[in-house]
């Protein structure tokens, strides 16, 4: 009888430990996904701000070119890159 109770308590303990490990893993995984999404949004916002600076005719040309350099280093591409190259040619 005592051995059955002992085996049941060991199985219960293992079940609780495994359940806790799975819960912690899920929490860490969720946190990592949220952090990655936040980093992606921050980069998108940074590129959008630089894009606005580059395209704004009211900004000084030097500042627009400096923003274009940062835009290209951050991985920006496309029409803004083409417009930045036109700004470089204006110098």
């Amino acid at each position: 009888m005592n051995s059955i109770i002992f085996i049941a308590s060991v199985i219960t303990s293992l079940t609780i430990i495994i359940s806790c490990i799975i819960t912690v893993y899920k929490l860490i995984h969720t946190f990592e996904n949220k952090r990655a999404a936040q980093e992606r949004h921050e980069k998108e916002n940074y590129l959008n701000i630089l894009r606005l600076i580059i395209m704004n005719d009211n900004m000084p040309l030097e500042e627009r070119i400096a923003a274009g350099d940062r835009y290209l280093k951050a991985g920006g591409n496309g029409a803004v890159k083409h417009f930045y190259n036109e700004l470089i040619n204006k110098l």
Side-chain angles (χ1 to χ4, degrees):
M1 184 68 163
N2 285 337
S3 64
I4 294 175
I5 294 174
F6 177 74
I7 292 172
S9 65
V10 169
I11 291 173
T12 302
S13 298
L14 289 175
T15 303
I16 291 172
I17 291 170
I18 291 171
S19 174
C20 288
I21 290 171
I22 290 171
T23 302
V24 169
Y25 173 78
K26 285 181 181 180
L27 288 173
I28 291 172
H29 185 67
T30 301
F31 176 74
E32 286 294 320
N33 286 343
K34 287 182 180 181
R35 188 183 58 80
Q38 183 178 6
E39 287 179 1
R40 187 177 65 251
H41 290 250
E42 285 176 6
K43 183 177 180 182
E44 289 172 1
N45 286 338
Y46 180 65
L47 288 175
N48 286 334
I49 291 169
L50 292 175
R51 190 176 300 121
L52 290 173
I53 293 171
I54 295 166
M55 302 302 278
N56 189 350
D57 291 333
N58 297 326
M59 299 291 283
L61 187 59
E62 295 84 19
E63 192 170 335
R64 293 168 73 189
I65 290 174
D69 291 337
R70 292 191 310 262
Y71 181 80
L72 293 179
K73 286 180 185 176
N77 206 352
V80 177
K81 181 179 179 181
H82 179 70
F83 188 77
Y84 166 74
N85 288 331
E86 289 178 5
L87 288 177
I88 294 292
N89 292 333
K90 284 185 181 180
L91 288 178

